[in-house]
Amino acid sequence: MKTLYRIIICLVLVFCLVTPTVFAFDNDLFNKTYTDTKAYLKSLGTPSVGSVGGEWLVIALTRDFEECPDGYYENVVEFVNNKINEKGQLHKSKSTDNSRIILGLTAAGYDPRNVGGHDLIFGLTDITYLKKQGPNGTIWALIALDCNNYEIPENPDAAEQTTREGLIAVILSNQLTDGGWAMSGKNADPDMTGMAIQALAPYYDTNDDVKSAVDKALTVLSEKQHDNGGYGSVDGACSESCAQVIVALTSMGIDPTSDARFIKNSKTVIDAILEFAVEGGGFSHVPGAARNGMATEQAQYALVAYKRFTEGKNTLYDMSEEDIKIEDEKPEDDTITDKDTEDSVKDESENETVPDTENNKDTSDKNGINAEKAENDKSSSATSSGTNNNKINQSNAKPQTGASTGTASAQTGDPCIFISLIVLAVSLIFVFKRRGSRV
């Protein structure tokens, strides 16, 4: 009988070790925050065009199966007509303007290759131009191009033709020796590291160099996680850093609530980001502060990314399931020529990388693409364009490259299984040795 008890104890111990531990966050708080923040964003009305109150708001809503607010597309057409140059670029040095709007339009079901007759994809065809913005430019260009597998047009005037392989090579070349990425300096930043993982995730299963780089980056993110499960950047803990890590992990098919590498003191990054929630919907930039526009949009689309992950849906930036609304008119010449270069790239926010020291953290074009870190409530005017928005199924120009939900090595449970087998073997040897000694 004693031998039977010992065997049962061994089996229970093995079961406890093999079974992955799931650290449950406050589900009621998650649902309330999620619902309240969605309602708050919907109450803001027509989105503008920009890094706050624009495309990220649109993505947070439409990737959660809400309709794009009326008037947004007309605002984009007006913005593009005023800003674009003959190279298809919306800014002389910040390619993320193109990338951000491509993502917003695609999420809303509009074709970024024909915005009032202009092709925003063409603006990303010179990799030399993309590199002007540092790691941010190439990272977000790849995310934008891959969001609906857009074919990259040939640009005979490009200093260096953009290709997916070229973008991946540049992104990998910017990886720091510690395994992460940063806008500047030698130390990995969770935000930029998360964004790089998001861009490289579709290639994890098919490119050995990408796999090696992403595995190192995941180790960095695990090491930089705070004791409360959160992350921070240049000015300490902040919700935007948590948001980028959530999107990165879910893009890799990693559950941030159960993977042991991303649990500290039984706390996950989901627990941490909920600490920034404010009453009435929305998120603060730093703990205990007031609602912040950029923090709210990034945190909400991160929660959307996690919700999509738990429901088995496409990742946040895999929009290949979207129906694209094709506009009727498009210029015969693929090269955009209707505006003078110097006039078109004038931007009243030329120095927008200067941080708002009162409310926000470093604004070196990092979080949310080309981001001003300030609370911006909505102010936009809708214009009518009279374009035909017949919705049709849009086939991808290229087959999907890589796997969008590849799971990285060293997943939860592998070390536990190994240890469990050793414990089981030793325990059984002990049991039967004792039993044999009594015979």
Side-chain angles (χ1 to χ4, degrees):
M1 183 62 71
K2 289 183 179 180
T3 299
L4 179 60
Y5 286 154
R6 291 191 182 101
I7 293 175
I8 292 173
I9 292 172
C10 290
L11 293 175
V12 170
L13 177 61
V14 169
F15 176 79
C16 293
L17 288 171
V18 172
T19 303
T21 304
V22 177
F23 295 88
F25 54 88
D26 188 334
N27 194 58
D28 290 339
L29 177 60
F30 179 95
N31 290 333
K32 183 179 187 303
T33 302
Y34 191 97
T35 302
D36 289 352
T37 302
K38 179 196 283 192
Y40 168 73
L41 291 177
K42 291 174 69 175
S43 74
L44 297 178
T46 301
S48 59
V49 179
S51 55
V52 178
E55 286 66 45
W56 303 120
L57 186 156
V58 170
I59 289 170
L61 291 177
T62 57
R63 298 303 284 159
D64 197 23
F65 307 101
E66 295 290 333
E67 288 294 324
C68 179
D70 291 339
Y72 168 67
Y73 183 72
E74 289 74 19
N75 284 344
V76 173
V77 172
E78 181 180 8
F79 180 90
V80 169
N81 284 337
N82 289 333
K83 298 291 183 181
I84 201 162
N85 64 20
E86 78 278 2
K87 299 177 182 179
Q89 301 161 357
L90 296 172
H91 192 280
K92 64 181 180 182
S93 59
K94 293 185 294 187
S95 61
T96 50
D97 278 8
N98 280 64
S99 299
R100 186 189 68 245
I101 295 174
I102 289 168
L103 287 167
L105 288 174
T106 305
Y110 291 98
D111 188 0
R113 296 163 297 187
N114 183 15
V115 184
H118 303 292
D119 185 355
L120 300 187
I121 302 292
F122 191 81
L124 302 179
T125 55
D126 189 341
I127 204 167
T128 301
Y129 165 66
L130 304 180
K131 289 191 287 188
K132 285 184 178 181
Q133 208 173 349
N136 222 19
T138 49
I139 284 173
W140 285 101
L142 186 57
I143 293 174
L145 292 168
D146 281 350
C147 76
N148 197 35
N149 255 329
Y150 290 115
E151 185 175 0
I152 304 174
E154 291 291 330
N155 183 357
D157 297 322
E160 180 182 354
Q161 172 68 41
T162 298
T163 63
R164 283 174 166 81
E165 293 77 13
L167 290 172
I168 291 170
V170 173
I171 294 170
L172 293 180
S173 71
N174 287 323
Q175 189 171 26
L176 303 173
T177 55
D178 67 1
W181 279 262
M183 281 297 295
S184 60
K186 298 181 179 180
N187 297 319
D189 174 78
D191 299 54
M192 285 303 303
T193 300
M195 293 174 189
I197 291 173
Q198 294 163 31
L200 296 173
Y203 305 91
Y204 181 84
D205 290 335
T206 59
N207 186 314
D208 290 341
D209 292 335
V210 168
K211 183 179 186 302
S212 176
V214 170
D215 285 343
K216 292 176 183 177
L218 291 171
T219 298
V220 169
L221 289 183
S222 175
E223 293 171 348
K224 286 189 172 291
Q225 190 172 24
H226 297 174
D227 290 341
N228 71 338
Y231 290 86
S233 191
V234 293
D235 59 352
C238 63
S239 57
E240 295 95 330
S241 295
C242 295
Q244 295 308 321
V245 172
I246 292 170
V247 177
L249 295 182
T250 54
S251 72
M252 288 297 302
I254 296 172
D255 189 338
T257 67
S258 64
D259 191 305
R261 294 171 294 173
F262 302 100
I263 299 170
K264 304 295 186 290
N265 296 321
S266 300
K267 294 293 185 180
T268 73
V269 67
I270 300 293
D271 293 298
I273 201 170
L274 293 176
E275 294 180 7
F276 297 89
V278 301
E279 190 65 31
F283 291 79
S284 63
H285 164 58
V286 294
R291 181 192 291 122
N292 176 275
M294 174 160 286
T296 296
E297 292 166 10
Q298 289 197 32
Q300 184 66 5
Y301 73 58
L303 297 187
V304 169
Y306 176 69
K307 185 169 180 283
R308 293 181 67 90
F309 168 78
T310 62
E311 294 173 351
K313 294 182 172 61
N314 287 8
T315 59
L316 182 70
Y317 295 128
D318 179 1
M319 304 174 189
S320 56
E321 82 282 5
E322 293 295 336
D323 286 343
I324 303 299
K325 303 171 184 178
I326 303 298
E327 302 305 315
D328 287 340
E329 296 181 1
K330 189 171 184 178
E332 295 181 1
D333 186 354
D334 287 336
T335 304
I336 310 302
T337 60
D338 67 321
K339 296 192 65 69
D340 179 76
T341 306
E342 293 185 0
D343 291 340
S344 65
V345 297
K346 288 180 181 178
D347 193 324
E348 63 277 8
S349 58
E350 197 69 44
N351 297 319
E352 63 185 336
T353 58
V354 177
D356 181 334
T357 55
E358 181 179 353
N359 290 321
N360 296 297
K361 62 180 178 177
D362 177 30
T363 56
S364 54
D365 272 349
K366 191 170 55 175
N367 284 326
I369 302 181
N370 194 20
E372 305 94 342
K373 298 292 186 185
E375 170 68 16
N376 286 332
D377 284 336
K378 317 295 292 177
S379 59
S380 60
S381 58
T383 59
S384 60
S385 64
T387 52
N388 178 20
N389 292 336
N390 294 323
K391 189 178 262 191
I392 65 172
N393 289 327
Q394 171 63 29
S395 60
N396 289 326
K398 295 177 67 177
Q400 180 68 30
T401 307
S404 61
T405 57
T407 53
S409 59
Q411 287 295 305
T412 304
D414 292 346
C416 295
I417 293 174
F418 179 72
I419 294 172
S420 302
L421 293 175
I422 294 177
V423 172
L424 177 61
V426 172
S427 300
L428 292 176
I429 291 172
F430 172 76
V431 168
F432 288 108
K433 184 176 182 181
R434 291 286 301 272
R435 182 180 179 184
S437 66
R438 295 174 181 173
V439 175

